[in-house]
Amino acid sequence: MKVSVVGVQGDVEEHVIITKKAMQNLGIKGDVIITRKFGAVSKSDVVIIPGGESTTISKLIFADSIAEEIIQLAESGKPIMGTCAGLIILSRFGDEQVEKTRTKLLGLLDVKVRRNAFGRQKESFQTKLQMKRIGEIDAIFIRAPVIEDVGEKVEILAKFEDKIVAVQQDNILGLAFHPELVSTKVHEYLLSLAHNL
Ligand code: GLN
């Protein structure tokens, strides 16, 4: 199995390390690569878009046509996960900050996101979350977005208080928090979508 982590900006290494561990746990053989250029995504079985700055990540993936490759791969049914800024990039609609900065989104998840949705006090925090199909996980939120609206095909996987923070639409997973910093559980679930475990 080949997993590509989009590595133009953000917490890329953390995703690589945890994906390798998740593969080991599941006994899956394969490679995890960091990709910054057009070409690698279309040969991947799974793609991860990390957290970072959505404005920067968007500019770089659209400048180099990685964006088009991700859209094509998603349409072919391969699993794709975006975390935090990666969730924003996967979404169809953004808030006024997304519009003001003219951040282009991939539109693969039929949701509306709000950037930096937690107040100053709560800019970064860790909490336990109950995730559908995955169970209890520790979730770290770092200047995280929330999902404000979801379309019919979108399944809500987790809420924090009354806020939607994790969703799945067929082969696309979007998380407002950072699963790569705490455990392999979410990555194992993502890999299982590709591997039909
Ligand atoms: N606040 C960032 C943004 O809106 C996301 C933060 C993150 O990915 N940790 O792009």
Side-chain angles (χ1 to χ4, degrees), residues 110-155:
D110 190 13
V111 300
K112 180 174 181 211
V113 285
R114 172 163 297 280
R115 286 182 69 190
N116 303 317
F118 294 89
R120 266 182 174 257
Q121 241 182 336
K122 285 197 163 181
E123 263 175 15
S124 296
F125 62 98
Q126 181 164 352
T127 185
K128 292 213 182 298
L129 278 185
Q130 199 58 42
M131 271 189 91
K132 218 173 181 179
R133 297 209 211 101
I134 296 174
E136 187 179 87
I137 61 152
D138 286 303
I140 299 179
F141 290 77
I142 305 169
R143 295 191 307 115
V146 290
I147 298 159
E148 290 191 325
D149 272 319
V150 297
E152 259 174 36
K153 287 188 175 163
V154 177
E155 184 181 13

Side-chain angles (χ1 to χ4, degrees), residues 16 22 32 59 62 75 97 120 132 138 145 155 170 181:
V16 172
V32 184
K59 259 185 212 135
F62 277 97
E75 282 166 0
Q97 284 187 56
R120 266 182 174 257
K132 218 173 181 179
D138 286 303
E155 184 181 13
D170 302 318
L181 300 178

Side-chain angles (χ1 to χ4, degrees), residues 62-87:
F62 277 97
D64 197 46
S65 305
I66 298 174
E68 283 77 13
E69 270 194 300
I70 298 172
I71 292 168
Q72 272 185 13
L73 198 81
E75 282 166 0
S76 78
K78 301 272 168 69
I80 300 187
M81 175 168 78
T83 61
C84 207
L87 157 69

